[in-house]
Amino acid sequence: MPTYYFYIQHADHVVTDPDGETFLDLEAAREEAGEALRELVGRAILSNQKELPQAIEIRDAHGQLAAEVHIDAAIPQIAHRNRDR
């Protein structure tokens, strides 16, 4: 099973994942990244952080970008509200 690393994109920086996690496949990693992003955004909102995480990059064991999960895909309600501003 492949190991994938979740890099959290913020507006002005990226938080890297030094440990990674093993998944059945890329689709399973993508689903987990969506859940993780929703949780991170929820925590940021509850703690009144000014900046929300924008996306999670899913990287393979070689550091290559395999997929991305953006906030608008993970949380469509927030993306819609942000576009209306």
Side-chain angles (χ1 to χ4, degrees):
M1 288 195 295
T3 300
Y4 291 103
Y5 299 81
F6 290 177
Y7 285 32
I8 304 165
Q9 293 180 358
H10 294 269
D12 60 354
H13 67 285
V14 175
V15 178
T16 61
D17 174 5
D19 301 321
E21 189 173 336
T22 303
F23 292 94
L24 184 61
D25 56 20
L26 181 57
E27 186 56 35
R30 189 178 283 127
E31 289 176 22
E32 180 66 25
E35 289 293 322
L37 186 55
R38 283 188 283 279
E39 185 176 321
L40 289 168
V41 169
R43 286 185 198 168
I45 290 169
L46 289 174
S47 63
N48 292 320
Q49 292 179 7
K50 293 180 182 182
E51 300 266 338
L52 298 178
Q54 298 300 302
I56 292 182
E57 298 177 357
I58 303 170
R59 297 198 171 260
D60 66 17
H62 303 291
Q64 297 298 311
L65 182 64
E68 288 182 297
V69 177
H70 293 271
I71 192 171
D72 58 342
I75 309 169
Q77 299 87 350
I78 289 176
H80 179 70
R81 186 176 65 216
N82 286 342
R83 279 193 297 262
D84 292 344
R85 288 184 183 175

